[in-house]
Amino acid sequence: MPEGKIEGNGGELAVAALRAYGVDVIFTLSGGHIFPIYDGAVKADPPLRIVDTRHEQTATFAAEATAKLTRRPGVAVLTAGPGVTNGISAITTARFNGSPLLVLGGRAPQARWGAGSLQELDHVPIVASITKHAVTSTATDSIAADVAEALRLATTPHRGPVFVDLPMDVVFGSAVADAPAGPPPHIDEVDEDAVADVARLLAEAERPVVLAGGDVWLGRAESELRALVEAMRVPTFANGQGRGVLPADHELAFSRARPLMKQADVVVVIGAPLDFRLSFGVFGAAKVVHVVDHADSVAGHAPLAASLAGHLPGLLAALAKYDGRRSDHEPWIARLRDTESAARAAESAELSADADPIHPARVYGELRARLDRDAIVIGDGGDFVSYAGKLIDSYEPGCWLDPGPYGCLGTGLGYAAASRVAHPDRQVVLLLGDGAAGFSLMDADTLVRHGLPVVMIVGNNGIWALEKHPMQAIYGYDVAAELQPGTRYDQVVTALGGAGETVEHPADIGPALDRALASGVPYLVNVLTDPAVAYPRASNLA
């Protein structure tokens, strides 16, 4: 074989491109259209790990979670027609999260296109609006280049999902092709004048705040973020997967004092969209600065004092070098710390509540005492997971996974599988509302078959709490908000080969969690919580 060339079937050529980008695992549900991809994965040296699921949504969510956990491309391989359409919500979630996800789709043969082959569907127009790039590979010798180009686009800021369709007669063919290249080198360009203006604004503010989002982690800028806030002495909050980029016990890390952000005079949001989670970019009378990884991500709907766009590590490192005049931020930091400490002290009653039925916060009082510092915690649910977002602290980056701003339930089992694959030596804890459990709990079978021990905790209040309580407040009644009370979700996992138990009393929560963490198998703790308890929500979602 000439130097710089590779030979093989379409699957082997695709896998060569995956390998060039550091991919070592694919998530899938078997289908005949995509057999050559499996063949390429098995023949690779070393082979790619193949994790097959019970639903394509789980496979695609697992691939997206892999991207979020490892900061390398996550790959889902979906068969034609319903295989691809079953992954739509997960692809959309990746778009909202800026996750570098590649979906390889099977496709009916192009030589017989229009004749009515099995699962013949043109996927590209369907996924075009939710991907950065969607293309059909029309020749076997172009597959490696098509996949490599998709991976380049997925991993280039602003990151996001991409899609490559592989017709059967193309992917089953064989060809000689150019060996795919890996990621291109990064070129760092910083507008020094713009950086100096933002640094001056931050340094001279009396009540500054930094808010770090998920792109700080995905952009590998966590050390630069820490250097910046320590050099500038700026209190810092985190959003989404930005949790943990500054450890929760760092002197400049805050979460419970968030209401005081409206009293800040400068708020610098780094690596997060100014969406409903961040008051659409309005923080009282504060001047707002938006720092993002690409100019297209700068908020156009919010009044901004300034913005910076580009390579986040370079931008944050440049901001940290500011050596001009500074205001004294210590009184502001002390004020925030007093508020933070008071709020945390006020939580203790709920965290240790002996109420029966169980208050959901008590679950987290027990769980917090048992989590390792680098435990991966996954949230998939409404009110029950909202309590987790408030009460569970993150001490290392890349350890908190939730659906993100798209708010799609059903992420949990895929995220859990990916977490155990990526980090086999860490605690992995999946928090599920009983409503969310209905979307993907059958994929506990995937955890069992692939030897992926995960602790699952279901907050089981027998209702759709996120809908029932607001509907009652608005109309005085509710409909379509009831689930079966006391459903034995633990028995579902047990029937699939795992283990579990139901907890009805607060004193039994801790021992049940101990058994789950020590079990070495997928284990579900089904906690019956009080349906009358509603999470105190203040966000304007629309």
Side-chain angles (χ1 to χ4, degrees), residues 154-474:
T155 54
T156 300
H158 186 60
R159 300 163 193 83
V162 294
F163 179 85
V164 178
D165 228 359
L166 300 170
M168 284 189 74
D169 47 354
V170 173
V171 75
F172 272 84
S174 295
V176 175
D178 293 332
H186 173 76
I187 300 174
D188 191 12
E189 296 181 358
V190 174
D191 184 335
E192 295 183 1
D193 291 339
V195 166
D197 290 342
V198 170
R200 188 178 306 109
L201 192 65
L202 187 59
E204 294 182 357
E206 293 183 1
R207 300 179 304 281
V209 162
V210 160
L211 195 145
D215 286 335
V216 174
W217 163 250
L218 288 175
R220 301 179 184 274
E222 62 272 21
S223 61
E224 289 81 2
L225 183 282
R226 182 166 181 163
L228 166 62
V229 300
E230 289 178 346
M232 291 276 199
R233 297 294 297 168
V234 179
T236 301
F237 294 79
N239 186 60
Q241 212 179 7
R243 295 165 62 115
V245 297
L246 202 63
D249 53 0
H250 190 282
E251 62 167 335
L252 295 173
F254 297 86
S255 61
R256 310 317 197 259
R258 199 155 173 159
L260 288 190
M261 286 179 65
K262 293 182 179 179
Q263 299 179 25
D265 55 0
V266 171
V267 175
V268 179
V269 178
I270 304 172
L274 301 182
D275 57 22
F276 69 91
R277 299 170 299 171
L278 300 183
S279 304
F280 301 100
V282 177
F283 306 94
K287 296 178 180 178
V288 179
V289 178
H290 203 194
V291 182
V292 294
D293 59 16
H294 192 278
D296 290 348
S297 298
V298 175
H301 62 274
L304 299 178
S307 65
L308 296 172
H311 183 53
L312 288 181
L315 290 175
L316 301 187
L319 287 169
K321 293 177 182 177
Y322 176 78
D323 60 359
R325 190 180 75 83
R326 301 170 184 234
S327 296
D328 182 5
H329 298 159
E330 300 309 315
W332 171 236
I333 293 170
R335 183 178 168 194
L336 286 167
R337 183 55 60 196
D338 288 345
T339 301
E340 180 87 8
S341 298
R344 286 180 177 270
E347 294 167 1
S348 61
E350 288 186 348
L351 289 166
S352 59
D354 286 328
D356 197 346
I358 296 169
H359 192 292
R362 175 62 185 268
V363 178
Y364 298 117
E366 299 290 345
L367 180 61
R368 294 194 329 174
R370 292 165 169 81
L371 286 177
D372 294 338
R373 199 170 175 87
D374 64 351
I376 297 172
V377 179
I378 303 153
D380 184 9
D383 273 19
F384 183 63
V385 171
S386 293
Y387 274 104
K390 176 184 177 182
L391 299 172
I392 296 296
D393 292 316
S394 298
Y395 298 95
E396 293 190 12
C399 291
W400 172 266
L401 296 178
D402 62 28
Y406 190 49
C408 182
L409 298 185
T411 60
L413 270 294
Y415 279 17
S419 297
R420 178 54 70 200
V421 169
H423 295 294
D425 298 325
R426 294 194 194 179
Q427 292 176 335
V428 177
V429 177
L430 168 59
L431 309 170
L432 291 160
D434 51 343
F439 285 87
S440 62
L441 192 56
M442 189 67 191
D443 264 296
D445 171 76
T446 298
L447 302 180
V448 170
R449 286 185 296 110
H450 290 278
L452 304 173
V454 169
V455 173
M456 294 162 273
I457 305 172
V458 173
N460 185 352
N461 58 8
I463 60 173
W464 292 99
L466 189 57
E467 286 71 36
K468 183 181 179 71
H469 294 297
M471 194 171 182
Q472 283 281 353
I474 295 169

Side-chain angles (χ1 to χ4, degrees), residues 1 10 22 35 52 55 62 104 107 124 128 138 142 155 158 194 224 268 298 387 396 404 510 522 530 536:
M1 183 63 55
F35 282 174
D52 60 309
H55 197 294
L104 297 177
R107 182 180 172 96
V124 170
T138 58
S142 72
T155 54
H158 186 60
E224 289 81 2
V268 179
V298 175
Y387 274 104
E396 293 190 12
D530 188 350

